[in-house]
Amino acid sequence: QNVRRNFLADNFIKYCFCHVSLPCRHFAKSDDSGRAVLPREGRAVYPSPAKEASVTAELNDIVRKRLEGPEYWHLATISDDGSPSSSPMWLDLRDGKILINTAAANAKNSSLRSNPTVALSHIAADNPFDHVQIRGKVVEVIEGDAADRDINGLTKKYTGQDEYGWRAPGETRVTFLIEPTYVRHFVPG
């Protein structure tokens, strides 16, 4: 029964971790008996973002149209404590980079400054299986009046209003420009 349990566990690990876009070697390794084991502390080991890509990924016409339109995206970051976080976001394109804006007091600000690696996802309103995945890194941080102009521009794009009307008293805004390093548009079938 132990042999069967180890076989099932090994194959489950291989199945779960090898059916993603990264090779198996990043997640599971073999011990001396050849059995697959998870890395220490039971967490997957991810490759360095610097190894993922060193050049800007191309945005095809479909992806560019979704980025330029008033489409809602989800931004995934790694929090300061190492836990993942996902937030719905307004965004836009600027010179081939993805523009997002958040309040300086928001946890996203701290997370993006401490770990600039991000992922963005979008699903089509008429088909949730038609989706876009983008991975990238923050390459520029903009503060002050320019960040205020950016949130007003996003407000105009998404609501038609000229100014962002949900600002808390004393709130300052921060813009992050993200360079895409991986882009995937997928429609099954």
Coordinates of all heavy atoms in Angstrom, one line a residue, residues 87-159:
S87 N -6.3 41.6 -7.5 CA -7.2 42.7 -7.4 C -7.7 43.0 -8.8 O -7.0 43.0 -9.8 CB -6.5 43.9 -6.9 OG -5.9 43.7 -5.7
P88 N -9.0 43.4 -8.9 CA -9.5 43.9 -10.2 C -8.9 45.3 -10.5 O -8.8 46.0 -9.5 CB -11.0 43.9 -10.0 CG -11.3 44.0 -8.6 CD -10.1 43.3 -7.9
M89 N -8.6 45.5 -11.7 CA -7.9 46.8 -12.0 C -8.4 47.4 -13.3 O -8.8 46.8 -14.2 CB -6.4 46.6 -12.2 CG -5.6 46.0 -11.0 SD -5.5 47.2 -9.6 CE -4.6 48.5 -10.3
W90 N -8.3 48.8 -13.3 CA -8.4 49.5 -14.5 C -6.9 49.6 -15.0 O -6.0 49.7 -14.2 CB -8.8 50.9 -14.3 CG -10.2 51.1 -13.9 CD1 -11.3 50.2 -13.9 CD2 -10.8 52.3 -13.4 NE1 -12.4 50.8 -13.4 CE2 -12.2 52.1 -13.1 CE3 -10.3 53.6 -13.1 CZ2 -13.1 53.0 -12.6 CZ3 -11.2 54.6 -12.6 CH2 -12.5 54.3 -12.4
L91 N -6.7 49.6 -16.3 CA -5.4 49.8 -16.9 C -5.4 50.3 -18.3 O -6.5 50.5 -18.9 CB -4.6 48.4 -16.8 CG -5.2 47.2 -17.5 CD1 -5.0 47.2 -19.0 CD2 -4.5 46.0 -16.9
D92 N -4.3 50.7 -18.7 CA -4.1 51.3 -20.1 C -2.8 50.9 -20.6 O -1.9 50.4 -19.9 CB -4.4 52.8 -20.1 CG -4.9 53.3 -21.4 OD1 -4.9 52.6 -22.4 OD2 -5.4 54.5 -21.4
L93 N -2.5 51.3 -21.8 CA -1.2 51.1 -22.4 C -0.5 52.5 -22.6 O -1.1 53.5 -22.9 CB -1.3 50.5 -23.8 CG -1.5 49.0 -23.9 CD1 -1.7 48.5 -25.4 CD2 -0.3 48.3 -23.3
R94 N 0.8 52.5 -22.4 CA 1.6 53.7 -22.6 C 2.9 53.2 -23.2 O 3.7 52.5 -22.5 CB 1.8 54.5 -21.4 CG 2.7 55.7 -21.6 CD 3.0 56.5 -20.4 NE 1.8 57.1 -19.9 CZ 1.6 57.6 -18.7 NH1 2.5 57.4 -17.8 NH2 0.4 58.2 -18.4
D95 N 3.2 53.5 -24.5 CA 4.5 53.1 -25.1 C 4.8 51.6 -25.0 O 5.9 51.3 -24.7 CB 5.6 54.0 -24.5 CG 5.4 55.5 -24.7 OD1 4.8 55.8 -25.8 OD2 5.8 56.3 -23.8
G96 N 3.8 50.8 -25.1 CA 4.0 49.3 -25.1 C 4.0 48.8 -23.7 O 4.2 47.6 -23.5
K97 N 3.9 49.6 -22.7 CA 3.9 49.2 -21.3 C 2.5 49.3 -20.7 O 1.7 50.1 -21.2 CB 4.9 50.0 -20.5 CG 6.3 49.7 -20.9 CD 7.3 50.6 -20.1 CE 8.7 50.3 -20.5 NZ 9.0 50.7 -21.9
I98 N 2.2 48.5 -19.8 CA 0.9 48.5 -19.2 C 0.9 49.4 -18.0 O 1.7 49.3 -17.1 CB 0.5 47.0 -18.7 CG1 0.4 46.1 -20.0 CG2 -0.9 47.0 -18.0 CD1 0.4 44.7 -19.7
L99 N -0.1 50.3 -18.0 CA -0.2 51.3 -16.9 C -1.3 50.9 -15.9 O -2.4 50.6 -16.3 CB -0.5 52.7 -17.6 CG -0.7 53.9 -16.7 CD1 -0.3 55.1 -17.4 CD2 -2.1 54.0 -16.2
I100 N -0.9 50.9 -14.7 CA -1.9 50.8 -13.6 C -1.7 51.9 -12.6 O -0.6 52.5 -12.5 CB -1.8 49.4 -12.9 CG1 -0.5 49.2 -12.2 CG2 -2.1 48.3 -13.9 CD1 -0.4 48.0 -11.3
N101 N -2.7 52.1 -11.8 CA -2.6 53.2 -10.8 C -3.3 52.8 -9.5 O -4.4 52.1 -9.6 CB -3.3 54.5 -11.4 CG -3.2 55.7 -10.5 OD1 -3.8 55.8 -9.5 ND2 -2.4 56.7 -11.0
T102 N -2.8 53.1 -8.4 CA -3.3 52.7 -7.1 C -3.0 53.8 -6.1 O -2.2 54.7 -6.3 CB -2.8 51.4 -6.6 OG1 -3.5 50.9 -5.5 CG2 -1.3 51.5 -6.3
A103 N -3.7 53.8 -5.0 CA -3.5 54.7 -3.9 C -2.2 54.3 -3.2 O -1.8 53.2 -3.1 CB -4.6 54.6 -2.9
A104 N -1.4 55.3 -2.8 CA -0.1 55.1 -2.2 C -0.3 54.3 -0.9 O 0.6 53.5 -0.5 CB 0.6 56.4 -1.9
A105 N -1.4 54.5 -0.2 CA -1.6 53.7 1.0 C -2.0 52.3 0.8 O -2.1 51.5 1.8 CB -2.7 54.5 1.9
N106 N -2.3 51.9 -0.4 CA -2.8 50.6 -0.7 C -1.7 49.6 -0.6 O -0.5 49.9 -0.9 CB -3.4 50.6 -2.1 CG -4.2 49.4 -2.5 OD1 -3.7 48.3 -2.4 ND2 -5.5 49.6 -2.8
A107 N -2.1 48.4 -0.2 CA -1.1 47.3 -0.1 C -0.4 47.0 -1.4 O 0.8 46.6 -1.5 CB -1.7 46.0 0.5
K108 N -1.1 47.2 -2.6 CA -0.5 47.0 -3.9 C 0.8 47.8 -4.1 O 1.7 47.3 -4.7 CB -1.5 47.3 -5.0 CG -2.5 46.2 -5.3 CD -3.2 46.5 -6.6 CE -4.2 47.6 -6.4 NZ -5.3 47.4 -5.5
N109 N 0.7 49.0 -3.6 CA 1.9 49.9 -3.7 C 3.1 49.3 -3.0 O 4.2 49.2 -3.6 CB 1.6 51.3 -3.1 CG 2.7 52.3 -3.2 OD1 3.5 52.2 -4.1 ND2 2.8 53.1 -2.2
S110 N 2.9 48.8 -1.8 CA 4.0 48.2 -1.1 C 4.5 46.9 -1.8 O 5.7 46.7 -1.9 CB 3.6 47.9 0.4 OG 4.6 47.2 1.1
S111 N 3.5 46.1 -2.2 CA 3.8 44.8 -2.8 C 4.6 45.0 -4.1 O 5.6 44.3 -4.4 CB 2.6 44.0 -3.1 OG 1.9 43.7 -1.9
L112 N 4.2 46.0 -4.9 CA 4.8 46.2 -6.2 C 6.2 46.8 -6.1 O 7.1 46.5 -6.9 CB 4.0 47.1 -7.1 CG 2.7 46.4 -7.6 CD1 1.7 47.5 -8.2 CD2 3.0 45.3 -8.6
R113 N 6.4 47.5 -5.0 CA 7.8 48.1 -4.8 C 8.7 47.0 -4.3 O 9.9 47.0 -4.6 CB 7.7 49.3 -3.8 CG 7.1 50.5 -4.5 CD 6.9 51.6 -3.4 NE 6.1 52.7 -4.0 CZ 6.7 53.8 -4.5 NH1 8.0 53.9 -4.7 NH2 5.9 54.8 -5.0
S114 N 8.2 46.1 -3.4 CA 9.1 45.1 -2.9 C 9.3 43.9 -3.8 O 10.3 43.2 -3.8 CB 8.6 44.6 -1.5 OG 7.4 44.0 -1.6
N115 N 8.3 43.6 -4.7 CA 8.5 42.5 -5.7 C 7.8 43.0 -6.9 O 6.6 42.9 -7.1 CB 7.8 41.2 -5.1 CG 8.1 40.1 -6.1 OD1 8.4 40.2 -7.2 ND2 7.8 38.9 -5.6
P116 N 8.5 43.4 -7.9 CA 8.0 44.0 -9.1 C 7.4 43.0 -10.1 O 6.9 43.4 -11.2 CB 9.1 44.8 -9.8 CG 10.3 44.0 -9.3 CD 10.0 43.5 -7.9
T117 N 7.4 41.7 -9.8 CA 6.9 40.7 -10.7 C 5.4 40.6 -10.5 O 4.9 40.5 -9.4 CB 7.5 39.3 -10.4 OG1 8.9 39.4 -10.4 CG2 7.0 38.2 -11.3
V118 N 4.7 40.6 -11.7 CA 3.2 40.6 -11.6 C 2.6 39.7 -12.7 O 3.4 39.2 -13.6 CB 2.6 42.0 -11.9 CG1 3.1 43.0 -10.8 CG2 2.9 42.5 -13.3
A119 N 1.4 39.4 -12.5 CA 0.6 38.7 -13.5 C -0.7 39.4 -13.7 O -1.3 39.9 -12.7 CB 0.4 37.2 -13.2
L120 N -1.2 39.5 -14.9 CA -2.5 40.1 -15.2 C -3.3 39.0 -16.0 O -2.8 38.2 -16.8 CB -2.3 41.3 -16.1 CG -1.7 42.5 -15.5 CD1 -1.0 43.4 -16.5 CD2 -2.7 43.3 -14.7
S121 N -4.6 39.0 -15.7 CA -5.5 38.1 -16.5 C -6.8 38.8 -16.8 O -7.2 39.7 -16.2 CB -5.8 36.8 -15.7 OG -6.5 37.2 -14.5
H122 N -7.4 38.4 -17.9 CA -8.6 38.9 -18.4 C -9.4 37.8 -19.1 O -8.8 37.0 -19.8 CB -8.3 40.0 -19.5 CG -9.5 40.5 -20.2 ND1 -10.0 40.0 -21.3 CD2 -10.3 41.6 -19.8 CE1 -11.1 40.7 -21.7 NE2 -11.3 41.6 -20.8
I123 N -10.7 37.8 -18.9 CA -11.6 36.9 -19.6 C -12.6 37.7 -20.4 O -13.0 38.8 -20.0 CB -12.3 35.9 -18.6 CG1 -13.2 36.7 -17.6 CG2 -11.4 35.0 -17.9 CD1 -14.1 35.8 -16.8
A124 N -12.9 37.1 -21.5 CA -13.9 37.8 -22.4 C -15.3 37.7 -21.8 O -15.7 36.7 -21.2 CB -13.9 37.1 -23.8
A125 N -16.1 38.8 -21.9 CA -17.4 38.8 -21.2 C -18.3 37.8 -21.8 O -19.2 37.2 -21.1 CB -18.0 40.2 -21.4
D126 N -18.2 37.5 -23.1 CA -19.1 36.5 -23.7 C -18.6 35.1 -23.7 O -19.4 34.1 -24.0 CB -19.4 36.9 -25.1 CG -18.1 36.9 -26.0 OD1 -17.0 37.0 -25.4 OD2 -18.3 36.9 -27.2
N127 N -17.4 34.8 -23.2 CA -16.8 33.5 -23.2 C -15.7 33.4 -22.1 O -14.6 33.8 -22.4 CB -16.3 33.1 -24.5 CG -15.7 31.7 -24.5 OD1 -15.7 31.0 -23.5 ND2 -15.2 31.2 -25.7
P128 N -16.0 32.9 -20.9 CA -15.0 33.0 -19.9 C -13.8 32.1 -20.2 O -12.8 32.2 -19.5 CB -15.7 32.5 -18.6 CG -16.9 31.7 -19.2 CD -17.2 32.4 -20.5
F129 N -13.9 31.2 -21.2 CA -12.7 30.4 -21.6 C -11.8 31.1 -22.5 O -10.7 30.7 -22.8 CB -13.2 29.1 -22.1 CG -13.9 28.3 -21.1 CD1 -15.3 28.2 -21.2 CD2 -13.3 27.6 -20.1 CE1 -16.0 27.4 -20.2 CE2 -14.0 26.9 -19.1 CZ -15.3 26.8 -19.2
D130 N -12.2 32.2 -23.1 CA -11.4 33.1 -24.0 C -10.7 34.0 -23.0 O -11.3 35.0 -22.5 CB -12.3 33.8 -24.9 CG -11.6 34.8 -25.8 OD1 -10.4 35.1 -25.6 OD2 -12.2 35.4 -26.7
H131 N -9.4 33.7 -22.8 CA -8.7 34.5 -21.8 C -7.3 34.9 -22.2 O -6.7 34.3 -23.1 CB -8.7 33.8 -20.4 CG -7.9 32.5 -20.4 ND1 -8.4 31.3 -20.9 CD2 -6.7 32.2 -20.1 CE1 -7.5 30.4 -20.8 NE2 -6.4 30.9 -20.3
V132 N -6.8 36.0 -21.5 CA -5.5 36.5 -21.8 C -4.7 36.4 -20.5 O -5.2 36.7 -19.4 CB -5.5 37.9 -22.3 CG1 -4.1 38.5 -22.4 CG2 -6.2 38.0 -23.6
Q133 N -3.5 35.9 -20.5 CA -2.6 35.9 -19.4 C -1.4 36.7 -19.8 O -0.8 36.6 -20.9 CB -2.1 34.5 -19.1 CG -3.2 33.5 -18.7 CD -2.7 32.1 -18.7 OE1 -1.5 31.8 -18.6 NE2 -3.6 31.2 -18.8
I134 N -1.0 37.6 -18.9 CA 0.3 38.4 -19.1 C 1.1 38.3 -17.8 O 0.6 38.5 -16.7 CB -0.1 39.9 -19.4 CG1 -0.9 40.0 -20.7 CG2 1.2 40.7 -19.5 CD1 -1.4 41.4 -21.0
R135 N 2.4 38.1 -18.0 CA 3.3 38.2 -16.9 C 4.3 39.3 -17.2 O 4.5 39.6 -18.4 CB 4.1 36.9 -16.7 CG 3.2 35.8 -16.1 CD 4.1 34.6 -15.7 NE 4.8 33.9 -16.8 CZ 4.4 32.7 -17.3 NH1 3.4 32.1 -16.8 NH2 5.1 32.2 -18.2
G136 N 4.7 40.0 -16.2 CA 5.6 41.1 -16.5 C 6.3 41.6 -15.2 O 6.2 41.0 -14.1
K137 N 6.9 42.8 -15.3 CA 7.6 43.4 -14.2 C 7.4 44.9 -14.2 O 7.4 45.5 -15.3 CB 9.1 43.0 -14.2 CG 9.8 43.4 -15.4 CD 11.3 42.9 -15.4 CE 11.9 43.4 -16.7 NZ 13.0 42.6 -17.1
V138 N 7.4 45.5 -13.1 CA 7.3 46.9 -13.0 C 8.6 47.5 -13.4 O 9.7 47.1 -12.9 CB 6.9 47.3 -11.5 CG1 7.0 48.9 -11.4 CG2 5.5 46.9 -11.2
V139 N 8.6 48.4 -14.3 CA 9.8 49.0 -14.8 C 9.9 50.5 -14.5 O 11.0 51.1 -14.7 CB 10.1 48.8 -16.3 CG1 10.3 47.3 -16.5 CG2 8.9 49.3 -17.1
E140 N 8.8 51.1 -14.1 CA 8.8 52.5 -13.7 C 7.7 52.8 -12.7 O 6.6 52.3 -12.8 CB 8.6 53.4 -15.0 CG 8.7 54.8 -14.8 CD 8.6 55.6 -16.1 OE1 8.7 55.0 -17.2 OE2 8.5 56.9 -16.0
V141 N 8.0 53.7 -11.8 CA 7.0 54.2 -10.8 C 6.9 55.7 -11.0 O 7.9 56.4 -11.0 CB 7.5 53.8 -9.4 CG1 6.5 54.3 -8.3 CG2 7.7 52.4 -9.2
I142 N 5.6 56.2 -11.0 CA 5.4 57.6 -11.3 C 4.5 58.1 -10.1 O 3.5 57.5 -9.8 CB 4.6 57.8 -12.6 CG1 5.5 57.3 -13.8 CG2 4.3 59.3 -12.8 CD1 4.7 57.1 -15.1
E143 N 4.9 59.2 -9.5 CA 4.1 59.8 -8.4 C 3.8 61.3 -8.7 O 4.2 61.8 -9.7 CB 5.0 59.7 -7.1 CG 5.3 58.2 -6.8 CD 6.2 58.1 -5.6 OE1 7.3 58.7 -5.6 OE2 5.8 57.4 -4.6
G144 N 3.1 61.9 -7.8 CA 2.8 63.3 -7.9 C 1.7 63.6 -8.9 O 0.8 62.8 -9.2
D145 N 1.8 64.8 -9.6 CA 0.8 65.3 -10.5 C 0.6 64.3 -11.7 O -0.5 64.2 -12.2 CB 1.2 66.7 -11.0 CG 1.1 67.8 -10.0 OD1 0.4 67.5 -8.9 OD2 1.7 68.8 -10.1
A146 N 1.7 63.7 -12.2 CA 1.6 62.8 -13.3 C 0.7 61.6 -12.9 O -0.1 61.1 -13.7 CB 3.0 62.3 -13.7
A147 N 0.9 61.1 -11.7 CA 0.0 59.9 -11.3 C -1.4 60.4 -11.1 O -2.4 59.6 -11.4 CB 0.5 59.4 -9.9
D148 N -1.7 61.6 -10.7 CA -3.0 62.2 -10.6 C -3.6 62.3 -12.0 O -4.8 61.9 -12.2 CB -3.1 63.5 -9.9 CG -2.8 63.5 -8.4 OD1 -3.0 62.4 -7.9 OD2 -2.4 64.5 -7.9
R149 N -2.9 62.7 -13.0 CA -3.4 62.7 -14.4 C -3.7 61.3 -14.9 O -4.7 61.1 -15.6 CB -2.4 63.4 -15.3 CG -2.3 64.9 -15.1 CD -1.5 65.6 -16.2 NE -0.1 65.2 -16.2 CZ 0.8 65.8 -15.4 NH1 0.5 66.8 -14.6 NH2 2.1 65.3 -15.5
D150 N -2.9 60.4 -14.5 CA -3.1 59.0 -14.9 C -4.4 58.4 -14.4 O -5.2 57.8 -15.1 CB -1.9 58.1 -14.5 CG -0.7 58.4 -15.3 OD1 -0.8 58.9 -16.5 OD2 0.4 58.1 -14.8
I151 N -4.7 58.7 -13.1 CA -5.9 58.1 -12.5 C -7.1 58.8 -13.2 O -8.2 58.2 -13.4 CB -6.0 58.1 -11.0 CG1 -7.2 57.3 -10.5 CG2 -6.1 59.6 -10.4 CD1 -7.3 55.9 -10.9
N152 N -7.0 60.1 -13.5 CA -8.1 60.8 -14.1 C -8.3 60.3 -15.6 O -9.4 60.2 -16.0 CB -7.8 62.3 -14.1 CG -8.0 62.9 -12.7 OD1 -8.7 62.4 -11.9 ND2 -7.3 64.1 -12.5
G153 N -7.2 60.0 -16.2 CA -7.3 59.4 -17.6 C -8.0 58.0 -17.5 O -8.8 57.7 -18.4
L154 N -7.6 57.2 -16.5 CA -8.3 55.9 -16.4 C -9.8 56.1 -16.1 O -10.6 55.3 -16.6 CB -7.6 55.1 -15.3 CG -6.2 54.5 -15.7 CD1 -5.5 54.0 -14.4 CD2 -6.3 53.5 -16.8
T155 N -10.1 57.1 -15.2 CA -11.5 57.4 -14.9 C -12.3 57.7 -16.1 O -13.4 57.3 -16.3 CB -11.6 58.5 -13.8 OG1 -10.8 58.1 -12.7 CG2 -13.0 58.8 -13.5
K156 N -11.7 58.6 -17.0 CA -12.4 59.0 -18.2 C -12.6 57.8 -19.1 O -13.7 57.6 -19.7 CB -11.5 60.0 -18.9 CG -12.1 60.6 -20.2 CD -13.3 61.5 -19.9 CE -13.7 62.2 -21.1 NZ -14.9 63.0 -20.8
K157 N -11.6 56.9 -19.2 CA -11.7 55.7 -20.1 C -12.8 54.8 -19.6 O -13.6 54.2 -20.4 CB -10.3 55.0 -20.1 CG -10.3 53.7 -20.8 CD -9.0 53.0 -20.7 CE -9.0 51.6 -21.2 NZ -7.6 51.0 -21.2
Y158 N -12.9 54.5 -18.3 CA -13.8 53.5 -17.7 C -15.2 54.1 -17.3 O -16.1 53.3 -17.3 CB -13.1 52.9 -16.5 CG -12.1 51.8 -16.9 CD1 -10.8 52.1 -17.2 CD2 -12.5 50.5 -17.0 CE1 -9.9 51.2 -17.5 CE2 -11.6 49.5 -17.4 CZ -10.3 49.9 -17.7 OH -9.4 48.9 -18.0
T159 N -15.3 55.3 -17.0 CA -16.6 55.9 -16.5 C -17.1 57.0 -17.3 O -18.3 57.4 -17.2 CB -16.5 56.3 -15.0 OG1 -15.7 57.5 -15.0 CG2 -15.9 55.3 -14.1

